[in-house]
Amino acid sequence: MSPSPTAVPAIELIGIDKKFGAVHANKTINLTVAKGSIHGIVGENGAGKSTLMSILYGFYHADAGSIRINGRDTVIHDSQAAISAGIGMVHQHFMLVENFSVLENVILGVEGGALLGRGVAEARSALKRLEADYGLDVDPDAIIEELPVGLQQRVEILKALYRGAEILILDEPTGVLTPAEADHLFKILGVLRDQGKTIVLITHKLREIMAITDSVSVMRRGEMVATRHTTETTVEELAELMVGRRVLLRVDKGPAAPSEVVLSVRNLTVKDGRGVTMVDNVSFDVRAGEVVGIAGVAGNGQSELLEAITGIRKPASGEILIHGQPVTGFDAAHLRSLGLGHIPEDRHHMGLVLNFEESENSVLGYHRDDRYGKGPMLDLDACRDDAKAKIEKYDIRPPNCRLKTANFSGGNQQKIVVAREIERDPALLVVGQPTRGVDIGAIEFIHRRLIAMRDAGKAVLLVSVELDEIRSLSDRILVMFAGHVVGEKTPDTGEQTLGLMMAGIAA
Amino acid sequence: MSTASVPLPNWITYGLMPFLNLLVAFLISGAVVWFIGESPLDAVTLLLQGALGNGEGIGFTLYYATNFIFTGLSVAVAYHAGLFNIGSEGQAYVGGLGAALASLALDHYVPWYVTMPFAVVGAAIFGAAWALIPAWLQAKRGSHIVITTIMFNFIGAALMVYLLVHVLIVPGKMAPETRVFLEGGQLPKLDWLIALFGGKIGAAPFNVSFLIALVMCVAVWALIWRTKFGYEIRTLGASPTAAVYAGIPYVKTVVITMLISGGLAGMMALNPVLGASARLQVEFVGGAGFVGIAVSLMGRSHPVGIVLAAILFGVLYQGGDALSFDMPKITRDMIVVIQGLVILFAGALEYLFRPAIVRVWQRFGKA
Amino acid sequence: MESLDLISILGSTIRLSIPLIFTALAGLFTERAGVFDIGLEGKMLFSAFAAAVAAFMTGSPWLGLLSGITVSVLISLIHGFASITNRGNQIVSGVAINFLASGLTAVLGQAWFSQGGRTPPLAATARFTEIVFPYAAELRDTGLIGRFYANVISGHNILTYLAFIAVPASWWVLYRTRFGLRLRAVGENPGAVDTAGISVTWLRYRATICAGILCGCSGTYLAIGQSAGFVKDMSAGKGYIALAALIFAKWRPVPVMLACLLFGFLDAFANFMQGKSVPGIGEVPVQIFQALPYVLTCVLLAGFIGVARPPKAGGVPYVKER
């Protein structure tokens, strides 16, 4: 269903297929984008959007399928070919040389001759023209690393335009921008479209899609599930398409019996590695015997919030208390000794050492404990016995504690983490994306365990981008948007209401 | 799809691939021998005879191997934490000072077995001290430890030459070395061990340091795989982010690991200084620190592998000596060539045959 | 104490700095392209040997230079193959090259010439000899400027002047040509180069070839400029001092030259001070001057004199596929 079927489309992707090892990133994707339009592609993290666009830009090679640009079959075997076909890309992680000037970055690859002199002069005047045409003003002699992120992104756009791009792909362009910067970007994109450029906007932020696109395609788990005219769809429909109607995993649970406050977060502000404020003055409590869920679209500060609470990232300001005791800035080992359990969002990089044996991972973070050896010694038998007990109790397969962790499936890897953190009987359990990349059976199992923790009088803080998960597990739901907690709701609140709050539209 | 992510069974990764790499290194070495007009087969025979043919040869082989066990362990411990210590050379050199000071202070008064623990500790402390600043710079300032340890190799060399020329030299003598230690400051030879197998040690300086090296192998094995700190070292080396998650302190772990690494390198000095020449001399390390890199790589950072690789290099050293005696066209430097080739093929080019092996494996192996 | 003969110290500073300048510039090309190169020492030694052998066989210093450069480039390509194509450990590759150089030059030297690893002494016509500038002899005794002209400006071989041309030339290549722009970019963010449609691999190979050429010059200088033949291990750690100078200069061409001159000066000064005593202090140990380049570099790395920011992508093989 092409938005304007009469004209020749700018882009046609036909049957694009791509696998990375066992991961099927793109499953026979078809996509048509009309010339002179802004086309959004939405989908959750890992839905395959970036891979698809990287194929269009020649950065990856599709295993199957073909590409037509302006109606002509085009083989894009590398970025150079994409550039010649008039395609420009603004990557999520900017492809800029940070200690170069704006000008040097713009001409990289299109220097206009073996010597720089002439090319630089030409680029300088060309930048002036682009600046005038599209309102893209940047000091050409500024050094990239000294520019704010919004301007760096503008340089990426300039790079593409300088190369004569007629089609511009932007991958999660607003992830690193302030709202004001994002608004400015949208204005620029509007101007570009009005001048006849075709724009593909990859995002998971539905508000942006509604604000500026002409049409939108939805991807889910490597598949293209729908394409709509933006005017003919709603945030609700898109959200539903993105997440998909899943088997609703209802968890049997009785009413919560919250008692004393275990975790208190007061005016917490957290910045990421680049110094961008990701959590802005957030306060909340979690009580013993309740699950507090934090809902939100990925990238709205939940990850940084979790990292600050669990001692992985030092907060910029504010206070964290456990059982009333200030613990701000404590390291993870110290926090564990105070009764904090942490199931991290990213089991591959944080929760597990994939090169280790299963039994070694089953003690990670608790390895200093006396039960795993007296004094400085590590008692491998104790670790293995402990691991075997957890394997049994959590039905981890294959039941072999000597197997390298990388050889377990995603669901079983997650069970290793869950078993480790829950079996320590923490007073406070902080959980991030507990079921990401986990099969249905394991999801159910993990959910039941979390509820059992609550029923045993533990405080549970749950962060998930799966709204279903949040709704079925939580006793209270906090919604995060752009670093703020924008509201608190009960779990029976409708999906639509929560979705709108997550999109920052209503409170 | 690239072949880098295809898993292969252990016998290929740890057996076949290192074997092929070594084979190529030795084939090229053979080609060099052939090129300079000698027979590679004769050379191999002479080399093996010289290194393993009699008690004295074996004694020398194990003497050299002792050096490489220490430096190999030193490199391996750091490598487990993801740190590339190429400063074992300098740490061993400075470690010699600690060992020598213990002998100089005690050899008049006590028998060797009283001096030995002091010398061991002295060597370890001085070696560790020489790793401290690079460790600190890495942990706190993020300065690349490869660069700083190279720098410290040279600073250490200058320091030691200064001390030997100006401070420790015997007044009136020309040679920049300490006085000869009395028996109380030497480590006795292991002639009985060779005799046990019916050999005669002859002039070989094979000494008690070898036993200390074996003890250190066990100690390193226990440290890495049987202690909580070793667990933390391995976690940091395998996944720095998981280390943060587990609350493993980065600065402390890096610094202590490097101190241990430097201490092991320092202990290498016991062998030549107390065990062989009974005095501290200029440049006594003679590249053993760098050989340790090769030994650690080939031994996959495991003490058993390190002992095997160290003996292989010991054979090359001693056999090379014998070879240069019988084939004057081939100098001792041939050993250095073989070392270079082994490091190149077993280290830098370790994946050379992987793509080919993966293709063969995918076609024939899986069925 | 004898009077401080500054002019002659400066003269020998120049002579001692030349191999450092060539080698550090070589490192500049590879490291700015994101390839660590601790094999500089080995390349220098290989090319010294190749140059000496070729000059001895042919009697031509120019063929010596050509041979030195050719061999050095070949070794660079081995390093490139290991670290770029094979994505092996760049440090290990460098260590291997240093071992190979030390061993192979000695083995071949002994096998071919049987002089303990040396090559036979070269005739003056087979070497790069000193070029005496006009009126240098006449001006030698006419005061400070005259002596400076005669001993510091004049009286070096052609490679010396080439080294000083190589500095602005390297600057020009790095900062004024397309190749230089791309080379600097690939050491910082290979992804930016790749997405611009430029081959990261080929670019890095070219950088290592540049390094090979420059190391070839430095080795040649050692063997048939400064000396009259190859001597076993004659590079004597100069490759590492050059590496220190490169870091000390924060990977920039003109500061590289200044750092090399400084380190060369320390060396010359140490030679001058040998056996002399300073009033009130006594004899200053020569080892202090030998250690100083490394100490200064470590102090710099510690962040006490500005920040030395290495090329961001240095030492990391580029992997595109995830």
Side-chain angles (χ1 to χ4, degrees):
Chain A
M1 181 174 119
S2 164
S4 45
T6 49
V8 177
I11 308 168
E12 286 166 281
L13 300 181
I14 303 135
I16 297 289
D17 207 274
K18 176 73 182 170
K19 280 181 187 167
F20 292 106
V23 182
H24 205 163
N26 285 164
K27 298 175 193 165
T28 327
I29 301 282
N30 295 308
L31 174 71
T32 305
V33 177
K35 204 173 274 188
S37 74
I38 300 182
H39 189 103
I41 298 183
V42 293
E44 294 189 304
N45 285 336
K49 300 165 293 184
S50 293
T51 303
L52 185 64
M53 289 303 122
S54 293
I55 289 169
L56 178 55
Y57 190 63
F59 208 59
Y60 296 141
H61 298 245
D63 301 333
S66 60
I67 298 172
R68 249 180 243 165
I69 303 295
N70 296 323
R72 263 200 304 274
D73 274 320
T74 310
V75 177
I76 301 177
H77 49 80
D78 62 11
S79 305
Q80 191 71 57
I83 293 166
S84 339
I87 302 171
M89 180 148 179
V90 176
H91 293 263
Q92 186 175 2
H93 303 288
F94 300 152
M95 293 296 180
L96 295 172
V97 182
E98 296 207 330
N99 62 349
F100 274 21
S101 71
V102 170
L103 206 55
E104 286 176 313
N105 268 292
V106 167
I107 63 171
L108 184 65
V110 281
E111 296 85 350
L115 302 185
L116 293 181
R118 202 166 47 94
V120 168
E122 275 171 17
R124 198 178 283 277
S125 54
L127 281 188
K128 282 235 167 62
R129 269 200 314 280
L130 291 172
E131 183 184 321
D133 289 354
Y134 305 110
L136 285 160
D137 46 329
V138 192
D139 171 11
D141 298 311
I143 302 299
I144 294 297
E145 59 197 352
E146 290 163 9
L147 290 177
V149 183
L151 284 183
Q152 292 186 12
Q153 186 176 60
R154 211 172 282 175
V155 177
E156 282 281 37
I157 296 173
L158 281 171
K159 261 171 74 177
L161 296 177
Y162 183 72
R163 285 160 171 73
E166 288 300 316
I167 297 167
L168 196 59
I169 308 165
L170 295 104
D171 188 0
E172 301 285 0
T174 58
V176 290
L177 301 185
T178 63
E181 283 175 332
D183 286 341
H184 196 111
L185 171 68
F186 294 156
K187 267 192 210 120
I188 292 169
L189 294 183
V191 173
L192 287 170
R193 185 230 350 240
D194 296 344
Q195 307 239 359
K197 308 277 184 198
T198 306
I199 292 164
V200 179
L201 178 68
I202 304 172
T203 183
H204 55 241
K205 297 184 182 175
L206 298 177
R207 186 179 73 104
E208 292 169 2
I209 292 292
M210 300 311 289
I212 63 160
T213 62
D214 302 305
S215 53
V216 52
S217 297
V218 184
M219 286 189 76
R220 186 172 75 223
R221 297 185 183 190
E223 287 176 272
M224 189 64 81
V225 291
T227 296
R228 300 274 186 274
H229 289 288
T230 309
T231 47
E232 291 165 10
T233 185
T234 60
V235 170
E236 291 77 12
E237 188 197 18
L238 290 177
E240 198 178 302
L241 285 165
M242 259 169 78
V243 180
R245 275 266 164 248
R246 290 187 198 154
V247 189
L248 198 57
L249 296 160
R250 270 287 152 216
V251 183
D252 288 328
K253 59 170 188 184
S259 53
E260 81 282 357
V261 173
V262 178
L263 172 71
S264 275
V265 173
R266 294 276 164 268
N267 308 103
L268 192 70
T269 297
V270 188
K271 296 185 176 182
D272 70 1
R274 307 177 178 211
V276 178
T277 299
M278 296 303 289
V279 178
D280 197 354
N281 198 24
V282 163
S283 300
F284 62 89
D285 288 339
V286 182
R287 293 169 179 276
E290 70 170 349
V291 177
V292 173
I294 296 186
V297 177
N300 278 285
Q302 307 97 308
S303 301
E304 288 76 11
L305 177 66
L306 276 196
E307 288 177 359
I309 292 173
T310 54
I312 287 162
R313 191 184 287 279
K314 293 234 186 300
S317 64
E319 210 180 4
I320 302 165
L321 305 111
I322 293 180
H323 288 305
Q325 183 194 344
V327 298
T328 322
F330 284 20
D331 73 25
H334 197 166
L335 290 168
R336 269 195 191 89
S337 71
L338 297 172
L340 174 111
H342 177 200
I343 299 170
E345 291 184 310
D346 184 346
R347 62 176 167 270
H348 286 169
H349 289 108
M350 286 218 169
L352 297 167
V353 180
L354 293 178
N355 267 333
F356 276 10
E357 286 177 9
E358 194 275 346
S359 65
E360 291 176 301
N361 271 309
S362 80
V363 302
L364 183 69
Y366 303 99
H367 54 276
R368 285 182 172 277
D369 200 287
D370 277 342
R371 82 166 70 173
Y372 302 124
K374 292 199 169 54
M377 302 311 287
L378 189 69
D379 181 347
L380 288 195
D381 289 333
C383 296
R384 286 174 193 158
D385 288 345
D386 188 81
K388 279 176 201 155
K390 286 171 186 162
I391 285 174
E392 172 93 29
K393 189 165 175 188
Y394 287 78
D395 190 26
I396 296 166
R397 288 178 213 188
N400 175 3
C401 72
R402 303 292 308 273
L403 191 66
K404 213 168 105 175
T405 310
N407 296 338
F408 285 85
S409 72
N412 282 297
Q413 286 178 350
Q414 186 69 351
K415 278 184 179 178
I416 298 170
V417 178
V418 169
R420 180 181 71 213
E421 299 302 319
I422 287 184
E423 284 305 299
R424 295 301 307 216
D425 201 25
L428 168 66
L429 184 63
V430 177
V431 188
Q433 319 296 351
T435 55
R436 179 183 283 170
V438 166
D439 54 284
I440 298 282
I443 290 176
E444 215 179 324
F445 183 88
I446 291 168
H447 283 176
R448 275 206 308 273
R449 285 284 159 189
L450 294 177
I451 292 302
M453 284 296 282
R454 178 200 76 159
D455 293 342
K458 313 298 178 188
V460 179
L461 177 65
L462 168 72
V463 167
S464 176
V465 292
E466 308 281 349
L467 205 44
D468 264 355
E469 184 165 75
I470 291 282
R471 289 176 70 227
S472 64
L473 292 177
S474 309
D475 300 306
R476 289 192 289 138
I477 298 173
L478 304 174
V479 182
M480 268 190 94
F481 174 73
H484 298 275
V485 170
V486 292
E488 180 182 330
K489 294 283 172 192
T490 54
D492 50 15
T493 309
E495 206 170 299
Q496 295 184 355
T497 315
L498 289 172
L500 288 174
M501 285 173 74
M502 283 161 63
I505 291 171
Chain B
M1 203 177 76
S2 79
T3 49
S5 54
V6 178
L8 288 174
N10 280 347
W11 68 267
I12 291 183
T13 310
Y14 296 111
L16 183 64
M17 275 170 47
F19 173 76
L20 284 177
N21 288 328
L22 268 185
L23 191 68
V24 174
F26 287 140
L27 285 178
I28 296 180
S29 307
V32 172
V33 170
W34 173 79
F35 181 69
I36 59 181
E38 296 281 2
S39 150
L41 276 180
D42 290 352
V44 172
T45 316
L46 282 172
L47 190 143
L48 289 178
Q49 260 170 11
L52 304 168
N54 58 48
E56 187 172 3
I58 293 174
F60 268 106
T61 296
L62 291 178
Y63 165 75
Y64 290 123
T66 306
N67 287 343
F68 306 143
I69 293 174
F70 279 118
T71 53
L73 289 175
S74 163
V75 175
V77 167
Y79 198 75
H80 276 291
L83 300 165
F84 209 138
N85 177 16
I86 67 173
S88 300
E89 184 82 10
Q91 290 144 18
Y93 204 171
V94 176
L97 182 62
L101 289 179
S103 281
L104 288 172
L106 298 172
D107 64 350
H108 279 289
Y109 313 108
V110 296
W112 68 271
Y113 49 84
V114 178
T115 308
M116 187 182 82
F118 289 96
V120 170
V121 171
I125 288 180
F126 276 63
W130 211 244
L132 177 62
I133 294 175
W136 182 83
L137 286 174
Q138 165 80 44
K140 289 293 250 194
R141 300 275 183 168
S143 320
H144 208 300
I145 201 149
V146 169
I147 300 294
T148 49
T149 48
I150 291 178
M151 301 292 137
F152 266 71
N153 283 342
F154 286 99
I155 300 172
L159 174 73
M160 292 298 288
V161 172
Y162 168 75
L163 289 174
L164 284 166
V165 171
H166 294 273
V167 183
L168 296 168
I169 195 168
V170 182
K173 289 273 177 84
M174 288 301 289
E177 56 188 35
T178 63
R179 69 171 169 82
V180 175
F181 310 144
L182 303 180
E183 222 162 86
Q186 299 185 18
L187 292 177
K189 287 188 181 183
L190 291 174
D191 39 4
W192 54 271
L193 190 62
I194 301 283
L196 212 60
F197 296 94
K200 284 210 183 91
I201 193 167
F206 177 51
N207 65 82
V208 167
S209 310
F210 177 70
L211 301 180
I212 302 175
L214 293 186
V215 170
M216 285 305 140
C217 283
V218 178
V220 165
W221 171 81
L223 169 78
I224 298 294
W225 284 283
R226 287 295 182 276
T227 71
K228 292 169 181 174
F229 186 69
Y231 178 87
E232 298 194 339
I233 290 177
R234 288 186 293 125
T235 306
L236 181 63
S239 172
T241 45
V244 175
Y245 163 79
I248 294 167
Y250 177 75
V251 172
K252 191 176 139 195
T253 311
V254 166
V255 170
I256 296 179
T257 305
M258 278 303 291
L259 291 181
I260 295 170
S261 172
L264 287 163
M267 278 187 237
M268 172 253 155
L270 296 168
N271 192 39
V273 175
L274 271 70
S277 60
R279 70 197 114 170
L280 185 61
Q281 291 170 306
V282 170
E283 285 179 8
F284 71 86
V285 184
F290 290 108
V291 178
I293 296 171
V295 166
S296 169
L297 272 171
M298 282 180 59
R300 304 273 155 180
S301 303
H302 191 287
V304 173
I306 286 169
V307 170
L308 293 176
I311 290 175
L312 174 71
F313 276 100
V315 167
L316 290 177
Y317 259 65
Q318 169 53 19
D321 259 348
L323 186 61
S324 63
F325 192 77
D326 291 327
M327 281 188 179
K329 269 188 154 178
I330 302 176
T331 59
R332 275 197 102 254
D333 301 293
M334 191 62 216
I335 308 164
V336 183
V337 175
I338 302 175
Q339 272 177 42
L341 289 167
V342 168
I343 298 174
L344 185 66
F345 283 96
L349 289 168
E350 61 178 325
Y351 306 122
L352 184 60
F353 298 109
R354 202 175 193 284
I357 291 174
V358 165
R359 276 195 293 275
V360 173
W361 174 248
Q362 281 178 328
R363 179 168 299 184
F364 304 108
K366 275 184 178 168
Chain C
M1 188 181 142
E2 295 164 47
S3 70
L4 197 65
D5 188 358
L6 197 62
I7 297 294
S8 80
I9 294 178
L10 287 181
S12 75
T13 295
I14 301 285
R15 279 184 284 279
L16 292 167
S17 303
I18 299 311
L20 300 184
I21 292 176
F22 277 127
T23 312
L25 288 176
L28 182 71
F29 276 92
T30 35
E31 301 221 339
R32 284 302 290 254
V35 179
F36 275 172
D37 201 353
I38 66 170
L40 293 170
E41 174 88 7
K43 277 183 260 188
M44 210 167 155
L45 197 56
F46 263 124
S47 68
F49 180 71
V53 171
F56 174 74
M57 306 299 259
T58 65
S60 157
W62 292 102
L63 288 176
L65 178 64
L66 183 68
S67 152
I69 289 177
T70 308
V71 167
S72 174
V73 167
L74 283 176
I75 303 297
S76 290
L77 290 176
I78 293 177
H79 183 56
F81 179 69
S83 49
I84 303 166
T85 305
N86 255 275
R87 292 172 194 157
N89 188 311
Q90 301 173 3
I91 308 291
V92 173
S93 168
V95 169
I97 284 169
N98 290 342
F99 267 101
L100 264 182
S102 173
L104 206 52
T105 54
V107 166
L108 292 178
Q110 175 64 17
W112 289 344
F113 305 109
S114 308
Q115 296 186 9
R118 286 169 173 269
T119 59
L122 294 172
T125 50
R127 296 178 55 219
F128 287 112
T129 46
E130 285 77 21
I131 299 169
V132 179
F133 281 18
Y135 307 114
E138 289 84 343
L139 290 168
R140 194 172 294 276
D141 300 315
T142 56
L144 205 61
I145 295 176
R147 286 187 60 215
F148 187 82
Y149 176 75
N151 289 338
V152 182
I153 305 285
S154 165
H156 301 288
N157 65 48
I158 183 102
L159 290 174
T160 306
Y161 302 104
L162 195 62
F164 284 103
I165 294 169
V167 175
S170 298
W171 176 86
W172 184 80
V173 167
L174 282 175
Y175 291 94
R176 286 292 178 269
T177 69
R178 174 174 68 190
F179 170 62
L181 181 81
R182 293 176 173 187
L183 185 143
R184 286 182 290 130
V186 84
E188 290 290 328
N189 186 352
V193 171
D194 196 359
T195 50
I198 307 161
S199 162
V200 171
T201 305
W202 172 224
L203 197 47
R204 286 189 165 166
Y205 264 110
R206 278 183 291 169
T208 61
I209 291 171
C210 290
I213 293 171
L214 285 159
C215 274
C217 293
S218 78
T220 304
Y221 178 90
L222 281 184
I224 66 176
Q226 206 171 25
S227 326
F230 177 83
V231 182
K232 188 171 179 269
D233 285 325
M234 76 185 309
S235 52
K238 287 193 176 62
Y240 292 103
I241 297 199
L243 194 63
L246 176 61
I247 297 163
F248 195 71
K250 302 172 185 176
W251 293 271
R252 290 167 303 164
V254 175
V256 157
M257 178 187 74
L258 298 176
C260 290
L261 285 170
L262 171 67
F263 291 175
F265 174 77
L266 288 173
D267 200 359
F269 191 67
N271 291 343
F272 171 77
M273 289 301 288
Q274 200 140 35
K276 297 192 180 72
S277 102
V278 179
I281 304 174
E283 193 177 324
V284 180
V286 62
Q287 289 80 23
I288 289 188
F289 299 104
Q290 287 168 355
L292 214 49
Y294 305 109
V295 173
L296 285 173
T297 305
C298 282
V299 170
L300 178 84
L301 282 170
F304 295 127
I305 338 173
V307 184
R309 200 187 68 104
K312 251 190 201 153
V316 189
Y318 181 60
V319 184
K320 183 159 82 172
E321 293 259 347
R322 60 179 185 191

